[in-house]
Amino acid sequence: MNEKKVGIVKVGTIPQVVSTVIDQLVYSLQKKGNYHVTGIQTNILVDNQLEYLFFKEPESGKRLCSFSNASWLQQHDNLVKNFDILYIFYNEEEEIDLTNLKKDDECQILFIPINIFSEQNPDIYHLGFDSAVNEVVNSILKVKDTAGSLLFSNKRLFLINIPGKKAGVFLKTAAAALQCEIIEEVSNAEIERVTDKLTQRYQDGSNYALILFNETIAEVDIKEQISAALDLDFRSVVIDEAQCIGGYPTVSDRVYANELAEKMVQWPGEGHSFEIVRLERSNQIKIDSFE
């Protein structure tokens, strides 16, 4: 049987957990014996020059660097010509251009999108989501622990800016875990809703509150609107994207990663090409009768 050339590519900002997928994928394909697996990246010192990463050591996936969007546009046709199978991890939020990628009957291509911070569909799971939201929640819990142990002369409001270009599942999940308010847009109705919630919290005896929002909203606008209704001391907290995607993956993400890798190993044998991976959530709570 002819050995198949397999290429693994990352395009854009990709979370650390993808390394777990790559390591398991490489191990399983190499174990089969008829696959030559290569990581593909660009040479940071020489424009338009590709570098090839050979996975000779365990856990080498984290050494694979990402293509920028510009480098990807210059190189994608060459990759299709030179490989039998391509696995392409890409950041869906960064508007990576895949439209010009030419279909080739000789090359099977599987796309694995990553959209941790702006996904709107609660039924879709993206690799790295649980790890990223866990980083956010743990960071904010430290703020809560500190705020809860202090007495303030005036009521305090922590404005916490987390990653995301849309008020999607990430923002809402973090808020649900922390039992705090979010601001999805700076509108009169939204500010009135949040102000009422804050007023109730302070009346119940709390001397601080938290509000989550993302980069679609300017903090100064929130302060201006809320301070018109409430006399508060504002404090700012910023949690950036690098903090969210660079930590150790959670158990949940590792399980998803290993299951995805096994699916990716089986995929070429199914004869498909030019397909995209979608992970679905299954964490529904059901209550049945006790018999």
Side-chain angles (χ1 to χ4, degrees):
M1 184 180 294
N2 293 331
E3 188 176 67
K4 288 188 176 292
K5 295 174 64 178
V6 179
I8 301 174
V9 179
K10 299 193 298 187
V11 187
T13 307
I14 300 297
Q16 182 68 26
V17 67
V18 167
S19 300
T20 303
V21 182
I22 293 173
D23 290 337
Q24 185 62 36
L25 175 66
V26 170
Y27 172 78
S28 297
L29 287 175
Q30 289 179 340
K31 192 175 179 181
K32 283 177 171 286
N34 58 325
Y35 294 97
H36 181 72
V37 188
T38 306
I40 311 159
Q41 59 192 24
T42 53
N43 188 322
I44 60 173
L45 301 177
V46 182
D47 288 341
N48 296 327
Q49 181 173 315
L50 294 176
E51 287 186 339
Y52 299 98
L53 175 65
F54 301 101
F55 301 99
K56 296 180 179 179
E57 301 174 359
E59 300 185 4
S60 297
K62 57 189 172 186
R63 292 169 46 212
L64 181 63
C65 299
S66 288
F67 279 75
S68 66
N69 196 13
S71 297
W72 167 251
L73 289 173
Q74 293 171 341
Q75 297 289 352
H76 56 51
D77 286 343
N78 290 332
L79 299 180
V80 172
K81 292 176 184 176
N82 293 320
F83 286 86
D84 300 304
I85 302 165
L86 281 176
Y87 296 107
I88 302 172
F89 298 88
Y90 69 98
N91 191 315
E92 205 171 44
E93 296 174 84
E94 295 177 5
E95 299 180 354
I96 306 298
D97 189 355
L98 301 173
T99 57
N100 293 324
L101 187 62
K102 295 178 180 177
K103 268 190 172 184
D104 189 321
D105 292 338
E106 302 300 318
C107 181
Q108 294 177 273
I109 304 175
L110 183 64
F111 300 98
I112 306 95
I114 307 291
N115 186 356
I116 294 173
F117 303 113
S118 299
E119 178 61 62
Q120 301 293 295
N121 186 346
D123 295 325
I124 298 297
Y125 186 85
H126 288 274
L127 272 180
F129 179 94
D130 190 64
S131 304
V133 80
N134 197 54
E135 287 287 337
V136 166
V137 169
N138 284 337
S139 296
I140 298 172
L141 285 175
K142 294 174 184 176
V143 174
K144 288 187 69 174
D145 288 344
T146 301
S149 65
L150 300 175
L151 291 175
F152 304 123
S153 58
N154 198 19
K155 303 298 185 185
R156 187 161 290 188
L157 179 60
F158 291 88
L159 300 178
I160 304 174
N161 190 338
I162 69 175
K165 297 181 176 65
K166 295 179 181 178
V169 180
F170 188 79
L171 181 68
K172 294 172 183 176
T173 300
L178 294 160
Q179 290 294 285
C180 66
E181 295 301 317
I182 65 173
I183 292 183
E184 299 189 46
E185 59 180 0
V186 184
S187 64
N188 291 336
E190 182 78 338
I191 295 299
E192 183 177 351
R193 178 189 68 80
V194 170
T195 301
D196 288 344
K197 292 283 188 179
L198 293 175
T199 301
Q200 185 62 56
R201 178 178 175 84
Y202 295 132
Q203 288 177 348
D204 289 342
S206 179
N207 65 347
Y208 77 95
L210 311 173
I211 287 181
L212 301 191
F213 65 102
N214 61 27
E215 59 202 71
T216 59
I217 298 173
E219 182 182 296
V220 65
D221 293 336
I222 300 175
K223 287 182 179 179
E224 182 179 330
Q225 296 273 2
I226 292 180
S227 61
L230 298 172
D231 180 22
L232 303 172
D233 285 341
F234 292 91
R235 293 294 184 270
S236 301
V237 178
V238 178
I239 300 174
D240 63 24
E241 185 174 348
Q243 181 179 343
C244 294
I245 67 172
Y248 288 109
T250 59
V251 170
S252 177
D253 266 330
R254 288 183 183 277
V255 170
Y256 268 111
N258 289 326
E259 290 177 353
L260 173 60
E262 288 307 311
K263 289 283 187 182
M264 292 170 67
V265 170
Q266 299 164 13
W267 177 78
E270 296 170 359
H272 303 300
S273 182
F274 229 72
E275 293 191 324
I276 189 168
V277 170
R278 292 293 184 194
L279 300 180
E280 295 183 355
R281 295 178 184 269
S282 57
N283 54 345
Q284 297 181 358
I285 298 175
K286 296 182 179 179
I287 301 178
D288 293 325
S289 60
F290 181 76
E291 296 179 359

